[in-house]
Amino acid sequence: MTEPSRLTEPAPLIELAEDATEVQAFEAADAWLRANLPGDVLKAALDADWDAVGAFLDDPQRGPAWYAALGDAGLSTPTWPRECGGLGLSARAAGAVADAVLRYRVDRGMIDFVGLALAGPTIIFHGTPRQRERYLRPLARGEHRWCQLFSEPGAGSDLAGLSTRAERQDDGTWVVNGQKVWSSFAHIADYGLLMARTDPALPKHRGIGYFLLDMRTPGVDARPLKQMTGDAEFNEVFLTDVRLPADALLGEVNGGWTVAITTLMQERNGLTGLPAVGEGRADVLLRRARDNGTLAEPVLRDDLLRFLVEERVLQMTTVRAHAESGRKAAGAEGSIRKLVNARLEEKAGALAAEVEPLAALAWEQGRQNSAASYEFLVMKQASIAGGTPEIQRNIIAERVLGLPKDPDPDKNVPFNERQRG
Ligand SMILES: Cc1cc2nc3c(=O)[nH]c(=O)nc-3n(C[C@H](O)[C@H](O)[C@H](O)COP(=O)(O)OP(=O)(O)OC[C@H]3O[C@@H](n4cnc5c(N)ncnc54)[C@H](O)[C@@H]3O)c2cc1C
């Protein structure tokens, strides 16, 4: 195979009609992967040597070249329109592409979730032709990493209560001041999705702007926060007199909430994984339990098998939800899967400790922690990220079931006259 090496000249998209069936999409993607994966990596994947595949993706030369080739072929972004570097496929056919890529485990990792799942679709829906042209192709090729600058110390679940300020200057540029928090991977991101208050005299949802921020702009200071796992992928981001050009605004002035809804719905839909059915958390836990003998314990075995079934059901529901949405934007129903996923993630953490009880308590000197302790410690993350279970329940109640809204006395009050701090 010729190793993909050019990062500037895009290779052609794979040949696949926009109305391709699932079988056609799977076969085309699988054939492309077999023809373009380097021989050693293809062999490693077929032998299920996932460490070797992981080493390939982590290689500073080969990994980026591979992601660029995957992006050029349209396989990183199969639902995006063709003019934006995607294949224009239906969600159903795109799910088959995801299945093919998952088979070899050579897709982009969670670190690119904000870029591919949030920034891309939001820019496709709300961006000007120039913004689409500028941001989408590098994103699909893995050249730019994105972060999400929404949450603040005083605005998480009540995101519309954010107080980072963007002030419009006479020349149309903006000056931003404020602080964000929990910004995953902001310290290594090239761009950020930034929400900031553009008019405090309007009610809280109406006076917000949505900006595309170049993280290298002077005044942007991302400081990693150390977590109890030892990781530090979260950040506080301080914004001090950050000057943004007029075309950094995505959507209308004061219309940022509408844009943010697109991002948030994508997030709730995307956080339950790709629309593909295959190896998941349960398979890994079952393997570990088989290897160390804990699978022989009947209660634990029962719990693991129940978990396997629930995880597969969630995967299949994700496939169905994507298929049913066609090419439409994600809807509020995504909150149902987000809620189920939160419960499963917590269960996976608890099961990891039960499968390897000793490893959950102690590990070799010099190692940060064991897999079991790590998984136990991160089990709450996925339930909070992208909105807590309580907030998902509110969304399901209001937007799916049509029940009365959560009372919010500040909703129609100008932001700078509201009662709450
Ligand atoms: C792993 C991870 C990654 C994250 N990444 C990012 C990121 O990249 N960018 C970003 O901007 N943010 C990120 N976040 C932040 C995340 O969006 C917020 O933590 C989340 O929205 C909750 O906000 P909060 O932490 O301020 O909690 P709060 O809003 O203060 O909530 C505290 C508690 O009150 C409950 N509560 C609040 N309001 C209500 C209500 N109306 N009804 C019932 N209960 C309620 C909540 O459910 C929760 O239990 C991340 C969080 C995690 C855990």
Side-chain angles (χ1 to χ4, degrees):
M1 114 105 206
T2 29
E3 189 126 336
S5 59
R6 293 164 308 156
L7 286 171
T8 45
E9 280 177 49
L13 294 175
I14 65 171
E15 304 238 341
L16 199 55
E18 291 197 4
D19 60 355
T21 63
E22 285 162 272
V23 173
Q24 287 166 336
F26 182 89
E27 284 176 353
D30 192 64
W32 188 91
L33 288 160
R34 281 177 175 266
N36 287 276
L37 266 171
D40 59 320
V41 183
L42 180 62
K43 181 172 180 316
L46 294 174
D47 292 345
D49 181 356
W50 303 123
D51 288 343
V53 176
F56 163 67
L57 295 176
D58 289 341
D59 184 291
Q61 301 291 327
R62 301 177 87 198
W66 169 251
Y67 290 136
L70 202 64
D72 286 344
L75 295 179
S76 291
T77 56
T79 53
W80 291 13
R82 288 185 86 85
E83 67 274 16
C84 298
L87 295 171
L89 293 182
S90 69
R92 195 180 280 270
V97 168
D99 268 334
V101 182
L102 188 70
R103 187 172 170 201
Y104 304 95
R105 299 208 204 159
V106 287
D107 49 342
R108 304 259 293 274
M110 209 39 206
I111 201 167
D112 285 320
F113 174 76
V114 172
L116 286 175
L118 310 189
T122 308
I123 294 169
I124 289 172
F125 284 124
H126 300 280
T128 61
R130 238 194 102 153
Q131 286 170 327
R132 287 168 157 216
E133 193 183 334
R134 176 164 172 204
Y135 296 110
L136 294 176
R137 184 165 279 282
L139 209 170
R141 287 168 52 81
E143 290 168 21
H144 294 162
R145 204 151 260 164
W146 286 71
C147 68
Q148 183 187 22
L149 303 169
F150 284 15
S151 305
E152 298 185 1
S157 300
D158 183 17
L159 182 58
L162 58 87
S163 53
T164 290
R165 188 79 173 88
E167 287 174 273
R168 199 174 197 178
Q169 310 299 297
D170 292 343
D171 61 359
T173 62
W174 299 85
V175 173
V176 181
N177 281 285
Q179 186 200 339
K180 298 289 170 176
V181 74
W182 317 129
S183 322
S184 307
F185 305 112
H187 58 303
I188 50 166
D190 301 291
Y191 292 94
L193 301 172
L194 170 71
M195 289 177 75
R197 188 153 305 280
T198 38
D199 188 348
L202 290 173
K204 61 182 182 180
H205 292 91
R206 280 184 250 152
I208 291 174
Y210 193 119
F211 299 91
L212 305 174
L213 166 69
D214 183 335
M215 293 295 283
R216 283 155 302 208
T217 313
V220 179
D221 180 13
R223 300 185 199 163
L225 291 165
K226 188 108 170 174
Q227 298 145 228
M228 63 181 166
T229 52
D231 290 345
E233 92 261 2
F234 272 151
N235 293 264
E236 295 179 288
V237 178
F238 296 88
L239 303 155
T240 311
D241 293 332
V242 176
R243 192 169 278 273
L244 299 182
D247 65 2
L249 185 75
L250 185 67
E252 304 294 322
V253 176
N254 296 329
W257 187 254
T258 311
V259 184
I261 292 291
T262 302
T263 311
L264 293 171
M265 289 204 180
Q266 287 292 132
E267 186 169 23
R268 286 160 201 152
N269 267 282
L271 281 172
T272 49
L274 289 171
V277 179
E279 162 125 353
R281 303 283 300 270
D283 304 78
V284 176
L285 289 171
L286 276 163
R287 243 191 331 267
R288 283 188 207 151
R290 208 176 294 125
D291 289 350
N292 75 359
T294 46
L295 194 61
E297 291 170 27
V299 175
L300 180 57
R301 188 171 61 228
D302 201 36
D303 283 348
L304 284 168
L305 290 178
R306 202 185 304 271
F307 180 62
L308 174 76
V309 171
E310 288 182 292
E311 191 176 52
R312 285 292 195 278
V313 169
L314 179 63
Q315 289 177 339
M316 288 175 200
T317 311
T318 301
V319 171
R320 235 183 53 223
H322 279 250
E324 281 171 14
S325 69
R327 289 190 180 83
K328 281 195 326 241
E333 301 78 13
S335 289
I336 300 172
R337 281 181 292 118
K338 166 85 173 75
L339 193 57
V340 172
N341 187 55
R343 190 171 54 75
L344 288 185
E345 286 284 338
E346 290 189 24
K347 203 164 168 184
L351 283 171
E354 285 185 45
V355 166
E356 296 182 297
L358 291 180
L361 291 174
W363 48 92
E364 282 169 38
Q365 198 173 11
R367 280 190 56 185
Q368 196 160 280
N369 42 29
S370 63
S373 68
Y374 184 87
E375 286 162 28
F376 185 77
L377 292 174
V378 296
M379 72 179 184
K380 286 276 178 191
Q381 275 200 5
S383 80
I384 302 170
T388 65
E390 289 75 17
I391 296 305
Q392 303 314 317
R393 288 196 177 92
N394 276 351
I395 295 169
I396 295 165
E398 293 171 16
R399 302 218 204 131
V400 181
L401 301 175
L403 296 176
K405 287 201 178 297
D406 204 19
D408 181 356
D410 293 332
K411 191 170 168 34
N412 296 313
V413 178
F415 182 76
N416 53 12
E417 290 174 25
R418 73 204 172 121
Q419 301 301 309
R420 288 192 281 190

